[in-house]
Amino acid sequence: MSMKDTCSSAFRQEHWDSFAQLFDEWYTRVPNEWKENARIKGIPDDISKVLLCEMGDYAFE
């Protein structure tokens, strides 16, 4: 079985959706100043959600 087959068989859309929803909830608690800094630096919204939730303002250093 290839790596692609292994990953495809393990993927469940509902699991991915709940994971993404968690980050959406956490992102509401991220200060607007950090969100604006990410936008100014050109960091795409989907990536800044994960970076800012996981790394906080350390993502800008």
Side-chain angles (χ1 to χ4, degrees), residues 4-50:
K4 180 179 178 184
D5 292 336
T6 302
C7 291
S8 295
S9 67
F11 178 79
R12 300 285 179 265
Q13 185 65 47
E14 62 273 9
H15 294 162
W16 179 257
D17 292 343
S18 65
F19 178 75
Q21 184 179 6
L22 256 174
F23 276 97
D24 287 340
E25 290 172 18
W26 291 340
Y27 194 62
T28 63
R29 299 181 214 146
V30 169
N32 288 332
E33 179 183 337
W34 296 1
K35 294 174 186 178
E36 182 63 15
N37 280 343
R39 189 192 64 74
I40 290 169
K41 292 185 182 285
I43 301 171
D45 288 339
D46 56 343
I47 294 172
S48 71
K49 276 185 186 180
V50 176

